[in-house]
Amino acid sequence: AKQRKLEKAACSIDATLRDLPEVTSLQEETYQELIRVVKDSGDQEILRINKANKEQEEYLTMWGHQIKTPITALELMVQDMSANGEEVTLEYIDVLKDNLFQLEQYVDMTLQYIRYGTMNNDLTIKKYSLERMVREAVKYFSRSFISKKIALRMEIGEDNVITDEKWMIFVLKQILSNSLKYTTEGEIHIYTRKTDNTLELCIEDTGIGVEAEDIPRLFERGFTGYNGRKQKQATGLGLYLSKQVLDKLGNEIEIESESGRGCLVRVIYHTK
């Protein structure tokens, strides 16, 4: 009878837990407890996978809606030019370039979002020049600085930080993207400051700032805040993913801001 119960239990993990034969020894009790532990572990892994799949599906759905905006803008411009027989003006070219750059940013974000799942297999941790990484991120947005007439002030020493260059530049791009998105005039000031145990990279802008009630939630996945919803430009993933990346790299990120008074983002590297 016990053998038949065991054979039946082998057909289904749920049946395994319901129909296990009554234990007659400490050894059998231990085996049954192991089965329950394995079952619970499997259930937790399934929940984790389902959650990750749901988050990815939600992101890709949102990304699909976001990327339609610049694509539609480009299509309408081309149609308008064709219908009116207009020649391509410098103004049109600038708008086309802006929309293409927006597409490039969305694609880059998606690629990094996908790669994040295997980030640990893609790290090269060593000392890198902080100034060089910042300059590469700034160069990526050079056109945005010029077109928006936003001044750039940099005061960075010759410090090296222990990190992964590719992922750190990704984080810096996300921070700069936010600063440029919400700064219509003035400047972005990038500088460093040191304490006994840390080196802080500060990116400070003269933009519209962040509502006080939004600051505690800025690193939540999908949170866009009042200004993001108002301007309809935010995905709610840039800062979330930046925080996740920095956590894995052993760094920190903090934000200080007041509505209408700009924003200060600090990336904190531990030196001891």
Side-chain angles (χ1 to χ4, degrees):
K2 180 178 288 190
Q3 180 63 28
R4 284 197 300 274
K5 283 189 175 183
L6 289 173
E7 290 173 354
K8 180 181 179 182
C11 298
S12 166
I13 188 64
D14 292 325
T16 297
L17 299 179
R18 291 195 305 268
D19 300 330
L20 286 173
E22 184 178 350
V23 297
T24 57
S25 69
L26 180 60
Q27 186 178 42
E28 288 183 357
E29 184 178 352
T30 302
Y31 280 134
Q32 290 194 15
E33 183 60 30
L34 284 173
I35 291 172
R36 292 186 177 90
V37 169
V38 171
K39 171 66 163 56
D40 289 343
S41 177
D43 288 345
Q44 290 300 315
E45 181 64 12
I46 290 171
L47 287 174
R48 185 193 67 78
I49 293 172
N50 287 341
K51 182 175 182 290
N53 288 340
K54 186 174 185 297
E55 288 180 351
Q56 188 167 8
E57 180 182 349
E58 288 174 352
Y59 171 71
L60 291 174
T61 299
M62 180 201 64
W63 179 83
H65 289 297
Q66 289 279 350
I67 206 168
K68 285 179 182 178
T69 301
I71 290 175
T72 301
L74 290 171
E75 289 175 342
L76 289 174
M77 289 181 68
V78 172
Q79 290 173 11
D80 186 51
M81 291 166 59
S82 300
N84 297 323
E86 296 180 3
E87 294 184 1
V88 179
T89 64
L90 290 177
E91 183 180 356
Y92 259 90
I93 291 175
D94 286 341
V95 176
L96 287 168
K97 286 181 177 179
D98 287 341
N99 279 280
L100 287 170
F101 182 61
Q102 191 176 355
L103 284 171
E104 182 182 348
Q105 289 184 77
Y106 285 144
V107 172
D108 284 347
M109 168 70 81
T110 301
L111 290 174
Q112 292 303 104
Y113 183 81
I114 293 169
R115 290 169 183 156
Y116 173 72
T118 56
M119 177 182 169
N120 290 339
N121 301 325
D122 188 36
L123 294 176
T124 303
I125 304 294
K126 62 180 184 179
K127 286 185 178 181
Y128 295 95
S129 165
L130 182 57
E131 181 184 20
R132 200 188 71 76
M133 290 188 292
V134 170
R135 288 193 180 279
E136 184 167 339
V138 167
K139 182 180 178 182
Y140 182 78
F141 291 101
S142 57
R143 176 178 172 78
S144 299
F145 276 99
I146 295 170
S147 65
K148 298 190 71 173
K149 296 182 173 61
I150 303 298
L152 171 66
R153 184 156 55 105
M154 284 183 56
E155 298 172 302
I156 302 177
E158 297 180 355
D159 297 289
N160 294 322
V161 293
I162 298 176
T163 188
D164 176 88
E165 182 179 50
K166 181 174 65 177
W167 282 100
M168 184 53 62
I169 291 173
F170 166 76
V171 170
L172 297 178
K173 284 181 178 179
Q174 298 310 307
I175 298 171
L176 282 172
S177 175
N178 273 0
S179 290
L180 285 164
K181 190 181 299 178
Y182 299 114
T183 301
T184 57
E185 60 181 6
E187 70 170 17
I188 293 177
H189 183 198
I190 306 176
Y191 57 96
T192 55
R193 59 191 186 192
K194 298 179 182 179
T195 68
D196 290 340
N197 301 314
T198 64
L199 172 67
E200 295 183 359
L201 175 66
C202 303
I203 301 176
E204 188 170 6
D205 63 55
T206 56
I208 61 177
V210 180
E211 298 289 325
E213 61 269 24
D214 288 345
I215 291 178
R217 300 188 59 193
L218 289 176
F219 300 114
E220 291 181 13
R221 183 182 182 278
F223 182 74
T224 58
Y226 173 78
N227 290 327
R229 293 190 297 272
K230 184 178 179 181
Q231 297 200 11
K232 299 180 180 179
Q233 292 182 342
T235 63
L237 283 170
L239 287 177
Y240 162 78
L241 197 52
S242 295
K243 177 71 164 60
Q244 300 302 308
V245 168
L246 289 171
D247 284 348
K248 285 197 174 186
L249 293 175
N251 308 130
E252 298 174 38
I253 183 170
E254 295 180 355
I255 295 178
E256 301 172 16
S257 182
E258 291 182 35
S259 181
R261 291 181 171 269
C263 187
L264 168 62
V265 180
R266 297 186 294 126
V267 178
I268 303 168
Y269 305 90
H270 294 277
T271 55
K272 292 184 181 180

